[in-house]
Amino acid sequence: MRSSRGITLTSCIGTLVLMYGATSFAADGDRLFAPCVVCHGAKGEGNTTLNAPAIAGQDAVYIERQLRNFRARRRGVHKSDVLGAQMQAAANTLADDAAVTKVASYVAKLAKTVNAAPASGNLHNGNNLYQGKCGACHGVTAEGNPTLKAPRLAGLDAAYIKRQFAHFRDGVRGTDPQDTPGKQMAMMAKTLPAERDLDDIIAFIHRQGRPK
């Protein structure tokens, strides 16, 4: 059926279906994210007291991959990773792959976070080390690079970055053969010479994404 303006009834119905589908998808993401609020906050801003990182605005593909890693026991299984084990249990409350995709898409649309209290350190040294060791994958301003499967680091709290860095370095994370990006990060984590250098890198990361 065609109107006087040449628009078919079929195309109108199709548009409405797509609009309804997008609205329904977003609503499902909001509903599925509700249990996550307890730890990660209503805006995905994280909670350092609960050791829960900020996840707002993180790339959807990265969030989805990590949820799948938890669900498939590629992450959070090492005896030293108590917090990862808790996250593994939480990820397994999602019913199926479709639910994982929906909640990841919802998180990606939340406003990105910045650190309220940036870490202190030698910014010159931090910049040099970051650009030399991290920037090629995670971006020059720690914004992340979905093409290289590298997450956004800006906005993450210092304790979380240190903990995950140690996990990669010490074989707690990134050991599963199917976690290729994790294995790559595990190798890189072994190249940083001193703890003080990590503090400087974090200080640099915390200055990114902030108002100039």
Side-chain angles (χ1 to χ4, degrees):
M1 182 176 179
R2 184 177 295 274
S3 73
S4 59
R5 295 188 179 184
I7 302 174
T8 65
L9 180 60
T10 301
S11 67
C12 289
I13 292 173
T15 300
L16 288 172
V17 169
L18 288 172
M19 290 173 62
Y20 175 79
T23 302
S24 177
F25 192 91
D28 283 347
D30 191 359
R31 174 179 57 80
L32 291 165
F33 183 70
C36 311
V37 168
V38 176
C39 293
H40 291 285
K43 299 179 181 179
E45 71 276 19
N47 186 329
T48 55
T49 303
L50 297 177
N51 296 304
I55 54 177
Q58 190 64 266
D59 176 58
V61 175
Y62 175 79
I63 293 289
E64 187 169 349
R65 184 168 68 253
Q66 295 312 308
L67 287 172
R68 292 180 187 276
N69 282 348
F70 281 120
R71 287 163 63 83
R73 295 182 60 80
R74 290 191 286 267
R75 182 179 173 187
V77 295
H78 194 281
K79 63 182 181 180
S80 298
D81 192 5
V82 176
L83 297 171
Q86 295 172 355
M87 187 60 214
Q88 184 186 119
N92 276 296
T93 64
L94 294 169
D96 50 30
D97 288 345
V100 170
T101 299
K102 288 175 181 177
V103 75
S105 296
Y106 177 80
V107 169
K109 290 180 174 62
L110 295 173
K112 294 178 180 179
T113 57
V114 295
N115 294 95
S120 59
N122 185 320
L123 293 178
H124 179 73
N125 186 49
N127 174 65
N128 289 343
L129 286 169
Y130 177 86
Q131 301 305 342
K133 294 181 177 294
C134 317
C137 290
H138 291 280
V140 294
T141 58
E143 73 275 19
N145 188 331
T147 302
L148 297 177
K149 300 181 178 180
R152 178 179 183 257
L153 300 179
L156 293 175
D157 65 274
Y160 179 78
I161 294 176
K162 285 188 173 185
R163 185 166 62 250
Q164 295 310 309
F165 183 88
H167 284 180
F168 281 120
R169 182 195 61 208
D170 300 338
V172 176
R173 180 179 173 188
T175 60
D176 190 283
Q178 296 185 57
D179 184 12
T180 301
K183 290 172 64 178
Q184 293 170 345
M185 185 60 208
M187 289 188 291
M188 285 301 300
K190 293 178 174 62
T191 68
L192 198 63
E195 186 76 13
R196 182 182 66 255
D197 290 331
L198 180 57
D199 289 336
D200 291 345
I201 288 174
I202 292 172
F204 169 79
I205 289 172
H206 279 188
R207 293 315 194 276
Q208 310 312 304
R210 301 180 64 80
K212 303 298 184 183

